[in-house]
Amino acid sequence: MEFSNLHEVLRSLYDEMMPLSADMAAVAKGLAGLGALFYVALKVWQALSSAEPIDVFPLLRPFALGICITFFPTVVLGTLNGVLSPVVQGTHSILESQVLDLNALQQQKDLLEREAMLRNPETAYLASDEEFDKKLDELGWTPSDLVTMSSMYAERQIYSLKKMFRDGFREFIEVLFQAAALVIDTIRTFFLIVLSILGPLAFAISVWDGFQSTLTQWLTRYISVYLWLPVSDLFSAMLSKIQSLILQKDIDSLSDPNFIPDSSSTVYIIFMIIGIIGYFTIPTVTGWIIQAGGAGNFVRNINQTTTKTGNIVGASTGSVAGNIGGRLMK
């Protein structure tokens, strides 16, 4: 299963579990009703004891919250998701446009790189089987030709081994990059499911006098976690744009007939590592958009884990890339 399908599974999981909030509304309505009774009684008693007129408008708050609890999946979740969904769709369209440009440029670069290697007589037989066979046919069976033939086979084997290691390491970094995005999306889906199912209880508790801030905290946390996906798409679009600019520069260089490519992908790997570390800063960036309390410990742990992961990945990548670059890419 591809990573894109796994993200779709998480979307479907949220849609499947969101109606469970209606079951929790039955418990929340009883708690909210009891809270409304005490809330209205307290406000009326305070007004009577102070010989002041009763202000009816604040007394409507428990009833408004009761309506929200009763129709929580449609009134609350439906309204929030309806308002925030265009943001998700807009950032996702930006990401898709950048990825399409990146794929087109990557294919163009691969084609030009192959043509550049074929133009060079010293590397043409490494990239093309036809050129390799053609060069073998030009050789005879003298001792010097046999030595040349054996060196050609050795160089071709070294080139294939080098390409295999380079492509394998690149695929490993790409898997880590996709896994980091999947981790953020999984945590986001888990938080949204918990906030959606237990949302009626948060509304019911906010009816009680002294717990009014619970409603505000729930709203800010839900919106903050929901925005993780748009921020993630914008971060991925930024990385894709940077890689597109790098590929465009490589394409301009490959257009020169005298340019000889080195077949290295060091810059690409570096930006993959930056993406792996950058994905775990998304909760912090989202907190700048809308301030949500209660997630500070989680964000702090994420940042500490990111720092440790960055040190480990950076050290291991530097060691592996150094060995590969020093021994195989000469």
Side-chain angles (χ1 to χ4, degrees):
M1 182 178 291
E2 297 181 357
F3 282 97
S4 59
N5 294 332
L6 293 176
H7 289 285
E8 292 298 329
V9 169
L10 292 175
R11 308 292 184 274
S12 301
L13 175 65
Y14 173 77
D15 294 336
E16 292 291 334
M17 298 193 69
M18 190 173 63
L20 295 178
S21 59
D23 299 334
M24 191 62 63
V27 179
K29 283 188 289 186
L31 181 62
L34 187 61
L37 177 63
F38 283 98
Y39 179 83
V40 173
L42 179 61
K43 294 298 181 181
V44 172
W45 178 80
Q46 288 178 347
L48 293 177
S49 62
S50 301
E52 297 177 353
I54 299 175
D55 191 0
V56 180
F57 184 76
L59 301 181
L60 299 178
R61 183 175 182 274
F63 298 98
L65 291 176
I67 294 175
C68 292
I69 294 172
T70 304
F71 305 100
F72 190 81
T74 55
V75 173
V76 179
L77 296 180
T79 302
L80 288 175
N81 295 339
V83 172
L84 298 175
S85 292
V87 179
V88 176
Q89 295 173 0
T91 55
H92 190 67
S93 62
I94 295 174
L95 174 61
E96 287 182 342
S97 62
Q98 295 298 328
V99 171
L100 290 176
D101 295 340
L102 180 62
N103 292 334
L105 291 174
Q106 184 65 50
Q107 293 176 0
Q108 185 178 358
K109 180 194 173 183
D110 293 340
L111 180 61
L112 292 175
E113 188 175 12
R114 178 179 174 82
E115 293 177 354
M117 292 189 67
L118 293 176
R119 286 197 305 264
N120 186 8
E122 298 180 357
T123 59
Y125 71 95
L126 297 176
S128 174
D129 294 336
E130 296 178 357
E131 293 293 333
F132 183 76
D133 296 336
K134 182 179 178 181
K135 195 167 185 178
L136 287 179
D137 294 338
E138 295 175 354
L139 298 175
W141 296 98
T142 62
S144 61
D145 292 335
L146 293 176
V147 172
T148 303
M149 189 181 301
S150 61
S151 64
M152 288 175 57
Y153 276 104
E155 290 178 1
R156 187 176 174 85
Q157 188 67 25
I158 292 174
Y159 174 80
S160 300
L161 185 63
K162 178 177 65 176
K163 188 174 183 300
M164 181 185 66
F165 272 100
R166 186 175 64 245
D167 294 342
F169 185 70
R170 177 176 174 176
E171 291 179 0
F172 174 71
I173 294 297
E174 289 177 348
V175 170
L176 288 182
F177 179 80
Q178 297 291 342
L182 188 61
V183 167
I184 292 297
D185 198 4
T186 303
I187 296 175
R188 170 185 177 271
T189 304
F190 169 70
F191 282 2
L192 289 179
I193 290 175
V194 171
L195 289 172
S196 298
I197 295 178
L198 300 182
L201 288 179
F203 275 65
I205 293 174
S206 66
V207 174
W208 292 75
D209 194 20
F211 294 94
Q212 289 86 351
S213 62
T214 304
L215 177 61
T216 305
Q217 291 293 326
W218 184 91
L219 288 173
T220 54
R221 290 170 188 169
Y222 187 89
I223 297 173
S224 178
V225 173
Y226 199 97
L227 291 177
W228 284 15
L229 184 58
V231 174
S232 175
D233 289 341
L234 289 177
F235 180 71
S236 300
M238 184 196 71
L239 290 179
S240 299
K241 186 62 178 179
I242 294 174
Q243 293 174 8
S244 298
L245 295 176
I246 295 173
L247 288 175
Q248 187 62 53
K249 187 175 181 179
D250 292 340
I251 289 173
D252 295 337
S253 300
L254 290 170
S255 300
D256 185 3
N258 298 322
F259 178 77
I260 299 176
D262 58 357
S263 300
S264 62
S265 56
T266 306
V267 177
Y268 177 82
I269 293 175
I270 290 175
F271 276 103
M272 286 292 101
I273 297 174
I274 293 174
I276 294 172
I277 300 175
Y279 266 119
F280 293 100
T281 64
I282 289 175
T284 302
V285 176
T286 309
W288 297 346
I289 302 173
I290 178 169
Q291 187 65 35
N297 292 331
F298 169 75
V299 173
R300 185 162 48 252
N301 293 334
I302 284 291
N303 292 335
Q304 293 176 356
T305 304
T306 302
T307 304
K308 295 178 182 178
T309 304
N311 295 334
I312 295 174
V313 172
S316 60
T317 303
S319 176
V320 175
N323 292 332
I324 294 176
R327 298 181 182 180
L328 298 179
M329 294 185 179
K330 289 183 178 180

